[in-house]
Amino acid sequence: MPSPSYEADALIAGDIDAYLERHATKSLLRFITCGSVDDGKSTLIGRLLYDSRTIHDDQLAALEADSRRIGTQGGAIDFALLVDGLAAEREQGITIDVAYRFFSTETRKFIVADTPGHEQYTRNMVTGASTADLAVILVDARKGILTQTRRHSYLVHLLGIRHLVLAVNKMDLVGYDRARYDAIVADYRAFAAQVGITGFVPMPISGLAGDTITSRSANMPWYEGPTLISHLETVPLDIAADQARPFRMAVQLARRPNLDFRGYSGLIAAGTVRPGDPVRILPSGRTTRIARIVSFSGNQDAAVAGQSVTLTLEDEVDCSRGDVIAAADSPPEVADQFEATLVWMADEPMLPGRSYLLKLATQTVSVQIQAPKYQVNVNTLEHLAARTLELNAIGVANLSTDRPLVFEPYAESRELGGFILIDKIGNATVGAGLLHFALRRAANVHWQAIEISRAAHAAQKNQRPRVLWFTGLSGAGKSTIANLVERRLHAMGRHTFLLDGDNVRHGLNKDLGFTDADRVENIRRVGEVARLMTDAGLIVLTAFISPFRAERQLVRDMLPAGEFVEIHVDTALAEAERRDVKGLYAKARRGALSNFTGIDSPYEPPGQPEIRIDTATMTAEQAAEHIVDRLFALRDEAAFSI
Amino acid sequence: MISLTHLQRLEAEGIHVIREVVAETERPVMLYSVGKDSAVMLHLARKAFFPGPPPFPLLHVDTTWKFQDMYRLRDRVAAESGMRLLVHHNPDAMARGINPFDHGALHTDLWKTEGLRQALDLHGFDAAFGGARRDEEKSRAKERVFSFRSGNHRWDPKTQRPELWRLYNARKGPGESIRVFPISNWTELDVWQYIQAEAIPIVPLYFAAQRPTVERDGLLLMVDDDRFRLRPGEVPVTRSIRFRTLGDYPLTGAVESTAATLPAVIQEMLLTTTSERQGRAIDHEAGASMEKKKQEGYF
């Protein structure tokens, strides 16, 4: 029985202009459907597309053919096939990613995020939920509330979705039993309260049979609530609520197409803006007023959250990509240390201490994440101790950025509180996060102004401070060569200090082991110590395997340009293993030593080291001489003197 | 309170995507196929950078077999937008005389797939806007807005990046490039409604008119110029036709129609019973063929 929502054909045929006028003013709702493999999620989405006439006859013909060939409904139409996409997953009978579907009714257009129900679920569901206003949580009426139901509910709540529908599906398979439905709703209400979900709309449905989808079902006269479609058509939109909040726009582009025009383009994250409004540019804090809202069809009187606009300002203030233009009297915060929830999305686990890129709105900064305070078991919601986060893990950690971020807590703003994490070397998106709050530390710990400057320390020693960073396999000869270089420099009257891997591990880093996470922290600490020593004016030599490019880059980034000298002591693995000065390779091969670089832990050679030493063609003495010549030739030294 | 319509929100999203690409890539280009989806995408770009022109060129990967009306609109629109128009012809296909009458699938492969790769490599473009929509085909439903291609332009559905909120990660390694789809979330109806609302110029072939046609292999083809090879016994018949999609004229099927205005076209589309891509010869193959073509670099 078609509902009024789709009784449009007569109007389309009879008065297309009236129809178009009505459809020009539709609103847009994005929602996500959550359910595990057998809850009937694909069937429900297929049903929504089917009922809304989004499926054309030729697609229907293909669907009918597919249903006979590979369907699960005994030859009857298998709506699930309609929304199954990639070839690989079609063969396996599972969906492996987030897909977006579209349908519309008389009053709204809908974008549905369809996410799969297997182990990659967390990553995909978080992705789909990040843009949704509403979530439909599907429960199989025969099974009731499952572990997955709890997980889905936790995730959509975490991502800030305020409108939840509990769709008790497959009511046809339990004889449309009201007692069964009431029991499931009561169960869910108890659980929801635990998680902090304050409200949800329950409804008994059948995706397959079509009950309570577009119209009330004759099979369930006892149900008096809304149908799924009528609820989707009337639920309030987040974007409307966003307009009531103070104005914020992250600047995407500062544009100057000609000398007379300087405009700032972006998508309004919250609030309303009008010419003359006082605004504050963050993080600088400068204030000015909006001059014009420029658009293709003339200047606008106002613009609101959700619109992409170009603004001009009354004063020539510094404002560029990454800055946020905000209501002058209630600006967002600026900080560089935060607590956040992280969702890990990469096969490679999160490494505390490693430097990642963080993108929030239009700001991209370097960030270091501390070891998680805890990880959340998404099934039981227990807090577990964790040293790192693996794929699909969710945890809470502190993080610090290399530049101040303009932000709002995620609970207040998705746009200024949600961020992604990007691997600096591989460029993949490895995680996502939700900012909770700024750590007060960031506001209270200031850099102590020091009167004897870095330059003064270096000038007194008449040398340019530098870090000579020796990297290479265990047994390559790093310590030997570094020692010889230091002896020569010492003889030349240079002020030096050698940090050796083994020695540091006896003291400063004796709490660290050899896992990837510990190796990263090991190098970070050594980098910080080396940097302090260069502040004191010293030439620092370090001899560490330092197997990962990312951490060597991290140390390079800590120092002024030109002060980090990467020296690759390049020895073939077979040769290092043949020498085996400390007997470690033999031990590793026996399995008595794990995470040994070159054996069961990777070594990433430098791409373009400042100096490369080939130990097959040079003795240690020759290598030391070569390094000193390259770096401390008289001419060079004069240039470096400060 | 100002309530935004679905078209306003789709427009805002498309403009946001286009600006992100300009902010975060080195050499973007907009692929312009002269169809209605391209027309909408170009319009969004012009709005995104007003009062200046969009800071990237238009690229038409041409096959020399487009409808004459398409070439006319292309040149007019490029001039109006103030953007540079690059037209690429695969020199190899040109030299070998590859054409839709003799070479079947090879024609599309060389002129379009290979031609696109050549053009992107030739100019060193690292990001290319395309007008594809997720509602066109099942495998497109999972395509990202930012879709990464390896150095040889291949698409790997398994290594696509998650896209959360409005945050797009445009970082890439040497040789890699991105295809960006600013109108991913638009449906065919959205496109038509927006064209009407914004009075965007489109190729007249979308509207019904009396045109010379022949019926061949289940498709209604238009005899657009004298290169059309008539088979023995074929005589062009004048029919009132229009096109739902536009491509190479010998490969693009028309529908018989009297819809000569935008509302009439939309009306016909809403009441019609076959989906948009059915007019294209390329999609008549097995279910997952579009996905296979994408992996090989077809847009």
Side-chain angles (χ1 to χ4, degrees):
Chain A
M1 189 173 69
S3 91
S5 295
Y6 303 121
E7 280 175 355
D9 285 8
L11 188 59
I12 293 170
D15 188 351
I16 184 67
D17 293 323
Y19 173 89
L20 286 174
E21 195 170 320
R22 189 182 303 179
H23 279 250
T25 54
K26 276 189 282 193
S27 56
L28 173 66
L29 179 85
R30 299 185 72 132
F31 70 95
I32 179 171
T33 53
C34 320
S36 46
V37 182
D38 296 321
D39 288 344
K41 190 161 48 71
S42 295
T43 303
L44 175 65
I45 297 173
R47 158 70 65 182
L48 292 172
L49 302 186
Y50 183 78
D51 282 356
S52 66
R53 309 290 183 86
T54 308
I55 306 168
H56 290 292
D57 279 4
D58 57 331
Q59 291 170 322
L60 194 59
L63 174 66
E64 281 165 356
D66 283 353
S67 297
R68 281 192 297 276
R69 198 162 52 86
I70 46 173
T72 57
Q73 298 299 324
I77 288 188
D78 184 351
F79 289 117
L81 294 175
L82 202 56
V83 294
D84 255 355
L86 303 187
E89 71 194 68
R90 214 185 295 179
E91 280 155 26
Q92 295 164 30
I94 49 162
T95 49
I96 51 171
D97 214 320
V98 191
Y100 296 90
R101 320 284 175 194
F102 311 90
F103 69 96
S104 41
T105 65
E106 289 285 278
T107 58
R108 273 192 181 162
K109 169 182 167 117
F110 298 94
I111 301 180
V112 192
D114 176 16
T115 55
H118 61 109
E119 80 244 30
Q120 293 296 316
Y121 206 83
T122 298
R123 172 171 75 179
N124 295 334
M125 223 188 93
V126 165
T127 302
S130 71
T131 51
D133 289 332
L134 176 145
V136 177
I137 310 259
L138 276 168
V139 174
D140 184 334
R142 296 168 303 174
K143 297 181 193 157
I145 309 296
L146 302 175
T147 301
Q148 288 94 317
T149 317
R150 297 202 172 88
R151 177 168 60 179
H152 304 156
S153 303
Y154 167 73
L155 290 174
V156 299
H157 180 62
L158 179 73
L159 270 287
I161 295 179
R162 286 186 276 266
H163 304 289
L164 255 61
V165 171
L166 179 73
V168 181
N169 192 22
K170 306 196 183 182
M171 287 300 291
D172 52 323
L173 298 184
V174 296
Y176 299 103
D177 180 14
R178 178 177 193 171
R180 180 73 193 135
Y181 169 74
D182 287 343
I184 291 172
V185 173
D187 262 11
Y188 190 79
R189 183 161 287 126
F191 158 76
Q194 277 174 34
V195 187
I197 295 171
T198 50
F200 64 94
V201 176
M203 54 185 72
I205 69 163
S206 168
L208 195 66
D211 300 282
T212 332
I213 305 298
T214 58
S215 58
R216 294 265 185 79
S217 166
N219 296 315
M220 294 179 284
W222 46 266
Y223 174 72
E224 295 176 337
T227 65
L228 180 57
I229 287 293
S230 67
H231 183 62
L232 293 174
E233 283 184 328
T234 52
V235 74
L237 299 167
D238 287 353
I239 196 136
D242 286 343
Q243 281 187 32
R245 298 176 37 234
F247 173 69
R248 277 112 179 71
M249 185 189 91
V251 175
Q252 277 187 292
L253 293 167
R255 303 219 349 110
R256 189 155 204 179
N258 60 61
L259 287 176
D260 305 324
F261 186 87
R262 185 198 289 249
Y264 304 95
S265 301
L267 192 145
I268 300 175
T272 302
V273 67
R274 293 186 176 82
D277 282 357
V279 289
R280 191 181 296 269
I281 316 297
L282 296 162
S284 76
R286 284 288 308 272
T287 55
T288 178
R289 283 174 189 276
I290 300 292
R292 292 190 293 142
I293 305 166
V294 179
S295 89
F296 207 59
S297 42
N299 293 337
Q300 290 172 237
D301 297 332
V304 296
Q307 289 185 303
S308 283
V309 295
T310 296
L311 306 174
T312 65
L313 302 174
E314 284 189 358
D315 306 290
E316 288 228 345
V317 293
D318 244 5
C319 183
S320 54
R321 177 170 168 86
D323 289 351
V324 174
I325 303 178
D329 55 356
S330 59
E333 290 177 74
V334 178
D336 61 1
Q337 294 192 49
F338 308 90
E339 184 189 89
T341 295
L342 300 176
V343 182
W344 203 251
M345 300 185 158
D347 290 327
E348 240 187 79
M350 187 265 277
L351 293 180
R354 171 169 287 188
S355 175
Y356 297 97
L357 289 174
L358 178 154
K359 184 173 180 185
L360 179 145
T362 58
Q363 308 167 81
T364 303
V365 298
S366 278
V367 65
Q368 282 183 31
I369 305 162
Q370 291 180 16
K373 295 177 177 178
Y374 58 85
Q375 180 176 338
V376 179
N377 178 326
V378 291
N379 295 325
T380 62
L381 308 184
E382 281 175 297
H383 292 184
L384 311 169
R387 299 200 67 172
T388 177
L389 295 174
E390 311 266 344
L391 176 63
N392 288 311
I394 294 181
V396 169
N398 287 349
L399 38 101
S400 56
T401 57
D402 69 338
R403 277 184 291 133
L405 273 182
V406 186
F407 84 102
E408 289 186 285
Y410 184 81
E412 288 168 31
S413 167
R414 280 180 169 184
E415 304 277 342
L416 288 176
F419 60 87
I420 55 171
L421 294 165
I422 301 167
D423 178 68
K424 283 190 170 177
I425 307 275
N427 297 323
T429 301
V430 291
L434 321 170
L435 291 179
H436 298 175
F437 47 77
L439 300 178
R440 234 172 280 134
R441 258 193 333 220
N444 294 340
V445 181
H446 296 288
W447 286 100
Q448 184 63 44
I450 300 168
E451 292 193 8
I452 306 298
S453 69
R454 195 172 195 279
H457 283 295
Q460 189 184 45
K461 295 179 181 63
N462 192 29
Q463 64 184 20
R464 184 187 190 197
R466 265 182 282 188
V467 174
L468 310 187
W469 189 277
F470 292 80
T471 174
L473 293 171
S474 176
K478 298 181 297 296
S479 294
T480 309
I481 296 171
N483 260 302
L484 291 170
V485 170
E486 191 181 28
R487 271 181 30 200
R488 282 167 187 260
L489 294 179
H490 190 73
M492 289 160 68
R494 301 285 169 231
H495 301 266
T496 60
F497 193 82
L498 174 62
L499 283 167
D500 181 82
D502 287 347
N503 297 351
V504 169
R505 280 190 176 275
H506 282 122
L508 176 65
N509 292 351
K510 71 179 170 191
D511 57 326
L512 299 178
F514 290 89
T515 62
D516 285 358
D518 282 355
R519 284 175 186 276
V520 170
E521 176 60 12
N522 183 43
I523 297 308
R524 189 191 69 81
R525 290 187 198 174
V526 170
E528 289 287 354
V529 170
R531 187 176 64 85
L532 286 172
M533 287 182 167
T534 59
D535 284 350
L538 296 178
I539 294 166
V540 186
L541 301 89
T542 68
F544 293 83
I545 296 171
S546 47
F548 304 130
R549 258 177 229 133
E551 278 63 56
R552 297 192 301 263
Q553 184 65 39
L554 171 75
V555 179
R556 185 185 289 272
D557 292 343
M558 286 179 194
L559 293 161
E563 289 194 13
F564 182 83
V565 179
E566 191 171 25
I567 300 170
H568 183 201
V569 182
D570 194 358
T571 302
L573 178 63
E575 173 59 17
E577 190 167 356
R578 191 191 59 74
R579 292 185 208 152
D580 205 4
V581 194
K582 299 172 191 162
L584 296 175
Y585 283 95
K587 243 169 133 179
R589 289 287 184 202
R590 282 201 309 276
L593 195 56
S594 60
N595 295 323
F596 193 76
T597 301
I599 307 296
D600 58 350
S601 184
Y603 179 79
E604 301 168 1
Q608 286 175 306
E610 275 76 9
I611 298 175
R612 187 177 153 272
I613 299 297
D614 181 356
T615 62
T617 61
M618 258 186 230
T619 65
E621 285 287 353
Q622 286 168 335
E625 191 178 337
H626 176 66
I627 292 166
V628 172
D629 282 354
R630 279 284 299 277
L631 295 174
F632 299 93
L634 276 177
R635 176 170 48 84
D636 198 23
E637 186 73 345
F640 283 158
S641 306
I642 300 163
Chain B
M1 205 184 78
I2 302 174
S3 56
L4 300 182
T5 67
H6 70 296
L7 290 178
Q8 286 175 308
R9 290 187 63 190
L10 291 171
E11 175 190 79
E13 177 185 76
I15 289 175
H16 173 82
V17 165
I18 292 170
R19 288 173 174 167
E20 273 308 277
V21 171
V22 166
E24 299 216 334
T25 65
E26 313 260 318
R27 287 178 67 79
V29 66
M30 181 165 279
L31 298 184
Y32 181 68
S33 72
V34 211
K36 65 184 195 309
D37 299 322
S38 278
V40 166
M41 183 169 64
L42 172 59
H43 189 73
L44 294 178
R46 294 181 66 186
K47 282 194 148 187
F49 300 99
F50 181 84
F56 43 77
L58 292 169
L59 171 63
H60 183 216
V61 179
D62 189 22
T63 63
T64 73
W65 290 94
K66 302 294 174 193
F67 294 91
Q68 294 309 314
D69 272 354
M70 294 173 74
Y71 294 116
R72 278 190 283 273
L73 184 80
R74 178 192 72 187
D75 295 341
R76 191 189 111 201
V77 163
E80 279 170 10
S81 70
M83 297 162 79
R84 194 155 61 99
L85 172 68
L86 304 169
V87 177
H88 183 81
H89 295 120
N90 178 351
D92 180 38
M94 189 79 100
R96 289 165 62 185
I98 302 295
N99 68 72
F101 297 105
D102 300 320
H103 301 103
L106 186 66
H107 169 75
T108 302
D109 197 45
L110 279 184
W111 281 108
K112 291 176 79 174
T113 310
E114 187 56 32
L116 173 62
R117 290 187 203 185
Q118 286 173 352
L120 295 179
D121 289 345
L122 178 70
H123 298 280
F125 293 124
D126 63 345
F129 295 105
R133 308 190 319 266
R134 283 170 172 155
D135 82 327
E136 282 176 82
E137 207 263 344
K138 272 199 281 191
S139 86
R140 292 251 196 236
K142 305 198 171 185
E143 175 100 73
R144 301 294 195 273
V145 176
F146 281 50
S147 182
F148 284 78
R149 304 297 153 104
S150 62
N152 51 12
H153 299 286
R154 282 184 75 90
W155 180 67
D156 178 1
K158 291 217 170 72
T159 61
Q160 299 292 301
R161 298 168 180 177
E163 290 177 342
L164 294 100
W165 300 290
R166 282 187 229 283
L167 296 174
Y168 300 102
N169 168 7
R171 291 174 62 90
K172 56 203 170 323
E176 290 174 350
S177 59
I178 325 178
R179 307 286 189 272
V180 184
F181 305 111
I183 60 166
S184 275
N185 287 327
W186 297 52
T187 60
E188 186 180 9
L189 177 59
D190 297 330
V191 166
W192 281 121
Q193 283 187 303
Y194 189 72
I195 286 171
Q196 187 190 28
E198 300 280 313
I200 300 170
I202 53 170
V203 183
L205 295 162
Y206 285 114
F207 303 112
Q210 297 290 328
R211 297 184 171 104
T213 62
V214 296
E215 220 174 327
R216 182 185 290 178
D217 306 330
L219 291 179
L220 194 57
L221 301 177
M222 175 175 161
V223 184
D224 192 53
D225 61 32
D226 54 15
R227 291 181 298 172
F228 194 97
R229 289 190 213 154
L230 292 170
R231 288 178 187 166
E234 279 182 344
V235 180
V237 178
T238 302
R239 291 182 173 92
S240 178
I241 57 158
R242 65 177 196 90
F243 292 85
R244 300 186 61 199
T245 62
L246 293 175
D248 290 358
Y249 79 81
L251 296 172
T252 308
V255 290
E256 289 205 67
S257 167
T258 54
T261 63
L262 256 176
V265 165
I266 298 173
Q267 181 178 40
E268 200 172 84
M269 185 214 87
L270 288 170
L271 297 176
T272 195
T273 52
T274 55
S275 68
E276 190 181 3
R277 297 190 74 87
Q278 216 191 26
R280 293 190 196 174
I282 187 172
D283 292 333
H284 283 267
E285 298 158 45
S289 76
M290 178 60 80
E291 188 178 330
K292 201 167 148 283
K293 289 201 165 56
K294 267 165 58 183
Q295 288 181 6
E296 289 160 0
Y298 179 78
F299 210 76

